[in-house]
């Protein structure tokens, strides 16, 4: 296995491929042994051979993609945890992708627990700050498509009552202004969210925090502080959109 891995690494270092003799010499293998391993790796899809040269195959590329994805997720989790500790509140990261709200990461703690998802998060985007922030980044057609599939409905006494009122609210939101909701999704919880501009247009993205409603006085200042801190590492979250 170790010898096969060394051959894979040698091929990965050669963008334009390499012949068996060169690979055998680089990893210090006898040519018959290298040929046997290369044939096996090619048969299993980890390598492919073209005109006597070996290149990485689809199986190896899938492994590489999986490792990169895990690294991006780890970077995202570390960033969210850092901001959680700095702000003293749960931090959420979500995107709007393929017509749905996707919560990609949450960093909370026993002292500052995340809001409980008591109603399906994807279906109640009109009620929580993350959903409102994501929907505000969509064009009119995409918004209406979403609301046709997930209609506005009251889930607490504070939730917006109808689609027309909700759409007017979205239209009034200022670009890069935090979206704030007070107990619209969950009683006893307030939330603030803002768009992540580093998404580069590939997807609508949002970062948010939540707090108990008795701390509502510190919600907006904390959100603005997080927004200011996030700029230096926003690329971490932008990469995570492909997770």
């Amino acid at each position: 296995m170790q010898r096969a891995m060394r051959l894979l690494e040698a091929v990965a270092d050669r963008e334009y491929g390499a012949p068996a003799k060169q690979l055998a010499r680089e990893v210090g293998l006898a040519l018959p042994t290298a040929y046997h391993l290369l044939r096996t790796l090619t048969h299993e899809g980890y390598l492919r051979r073209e005109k006597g040269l070996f290149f990485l195959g689809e199986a190896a590329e899938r492994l590489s993609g999986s490792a990169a994805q895990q690294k991006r997720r780890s970077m995202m989790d570390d960033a969210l945890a850092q901001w959680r500790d700095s702000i003293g509140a749960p931090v959420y990261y979500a995107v709007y992708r393929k017509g749905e709200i996707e919560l990609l990461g949450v960093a909370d703690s026993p002292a500052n627990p995340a809001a409980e998802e008591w109603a399906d998060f994807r279906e109640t985007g009109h009620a929580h700050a993350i959903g409102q922030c994501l929907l505000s980044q969509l064009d009119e057609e995409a918004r209406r498509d979403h609301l046709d599939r997930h209609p506005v409905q009251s889930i607490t006494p504070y939730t917006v009552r109808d689609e027309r009122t909700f759409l007017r609210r979205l239209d009034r939101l200022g670009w890069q202004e935090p979206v704030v909701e007070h107990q619209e999704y969950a009683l006893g919880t307030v939330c603030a969210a803002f768009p992540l501009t580093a998404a580069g247009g590939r997807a609508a993205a949002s970062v948010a925090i939540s707090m108990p409603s008795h701390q509502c006085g510190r919600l907006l200042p904390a959100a603005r502080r997080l927004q200011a801190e996030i700029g230096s590492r926003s690329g971490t979250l932008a990469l995570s959109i492909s997770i």
Side-chain angles (χ1 to χ4, degrees), residues 134-145:
L134 291 173
L135 293 174
S136 73
Q137 299 175 58
L138 306 181
D139 59 32
E140 182 178 353
E141 181 180 356
R143 288 181 194 174
R144 292 192 179 277
D145 173 73

Side-chain angles (χ1 to χ4, degrees), residues 70-85:
Q70 291 177 4
K71 182 177 180 180
R72 290 195 299 269
R73 183 172 292 278
S74 177
M75 291 170 63
M76 178 185 72
D77 291 343
D78 289 347
L80 294 178
Q82 176 184 325
W83 292 321
R84 173 203 62 201
D85 296 340

Side-chain angles (χ1 to χ4, degrees), residues 62 236 243:
R62 285 196 299 270
T236 300
I243 289 178

Side-chain angles (χ1 to χ4, degrees), residues 52-69:
L53 302 178
F54 289 91
F55 302 82
L56 289 181
E58 290 185 3
E61 291 172 352
R62 285 196 299 270
L63 286 176
S64 176
S66 176
Q69 183 182 69

Side-chain angles (χ1 to χ4, degrees), residues 99-198:
E100 298 294 348
I101 294 168
E102 295 186 27
L103 187 63
L104 295 183
V106 181
D108 65 350
S109 67
N112 296 292
E116 181 182 356
E117 187 178 349
W118 73 276
D120 192 304
F121 206 68
R122 294 170 300 176
E123 297 180 2
T124 55
H126 63 280
H128 47 74
I130 286 177
Q132 295 175 26
C133 184
L134 291 173
L135 293 174
S136 73
Q137 299 175 58
L138 306 181
D139 59 32
E140 182 178 353
E141 181 180 356
R143 288 181 194 174
R144 292 192 179 277
D145 173 73
H146 181 90
L147 296 176
D148 285 344
R149 291 179 290 108
H150 305 301
V152 172
Q153 56 182 318
S154 295
I155 59 175
T156 80
Y158 303 95
T159 310
V160 65
R161 298 297 186 191
D162 58 78
E163 181 177 313
R164 181 178 298 178
T165 303
F166 178 64
L167 290 173
R168 282 203 303 265
R169 176 192 289 187
L170 295 187
D171 288 337
R172 289 196 300 267
L173 293 174
W175 178 244
Q176 288 300 304
E177 283 297 309
V179 179
V180 177
E181 60 95 351
H182 293 267
Q183 304 188 83
E184 295 179 47
Y185 174 76
L187 293 176
T189 300
V190 295
C191 183
F194 52 87
L196 184 69
T197 57

